[in-house]
Amino acid sequence: EVQLVESGGGLVETGGSLRLSCVASGFTFSDFAMYWGRQAPGIGLEWVSSITADGSRTYYADDVKGRFTISRDNAKKTLYLQLNSLKTEDTALYYCAKDPLPHTVRATVPNSDRGQGTQVTVFS
């Protein structure tokens, strides 16, 4: 059974930083691209970032480019998202997700296995 468990969210002031983690189990982590998405109240799931299975390529939504950094440690089966220069509009529930196909990456959050999310709240 695929399990994805996010952590690291919290309450942070505008301009602050957080590091989100997503621990994976139940599949061969190093075979699959991974994603971060987010959902704010009243808004649909928004793609934030993608990373290829081997971590060699990363992709970002325009509104987080230059502020967020996605990375992964395949030995630890863990996905990360470093959030810097946070803005109030970054407030959302952040999810990690797994691609349904091995060695495939896309610029959307696939309708696939995802975790329960970790809340990020940015205040000014």
Side-chain angles (χ1 to χ4, degrees):
E1 179 189 2
V2 172
Q3 287 196 327
L4 299 167
V5 180
E6 301 94 337
S7 63
L11 186 65
V12 62
E13 197 168 7
T14 301
S17 298
L18 286 171
R19 189 191 195 203
L20 308 184
S21 299
C22 169
V23 178
S25 61
F27 64 101
T28 305
F29 185 71
S30 57
D31 282 349
F32 293 87
M34 296 294 294
Y35 305 85
W36 285 101
R38 65 187 181 185
Q39 187 161 19
I43 300 175
L45 184 61
E46 176 189 15
W47 169 69
V48 172
S49 185
S50 310
I51 187 167
T52 53
D54 64 359
S56 61
R57 288 175 288 146
T58 57
Y59 306 89
Y60 298 93
D62 286 343
D63 57 350
V64 307
K65 200 173 296 183
R67 299 190 298 122
F68 292 6
T69 303
I70 191 171
S71 62
R72 65 192 294 163
D73 185 332
N74 284 349
K76 294 183 178 179
K77 299 183 181 180
T78 303
L79 176 73
Y80 302 100
L81 187 68
Q82 178 69 40
L83 291 70
N84 296 331
S85 303
L86 282 161
K87 306 175 181 179
T88 55
E89 50 264 45
D90 294 319
T91 294
L93 188 63
Y94 283 72
Y95 298 91
C96 66
K98 163 192 170 292
D99 201 285
L101 299 174
H103 304 295
T104 301
V105 66
R106 60 199 86 205
T108 59
V109 180
N111 185 22
S112 180
D113 300 284
R114 65 180 65 147
Q116 294 298 306
T118 185
Q119 179 67 38
V120 172
T121 303
V122 185
F123 66 94
S124 59

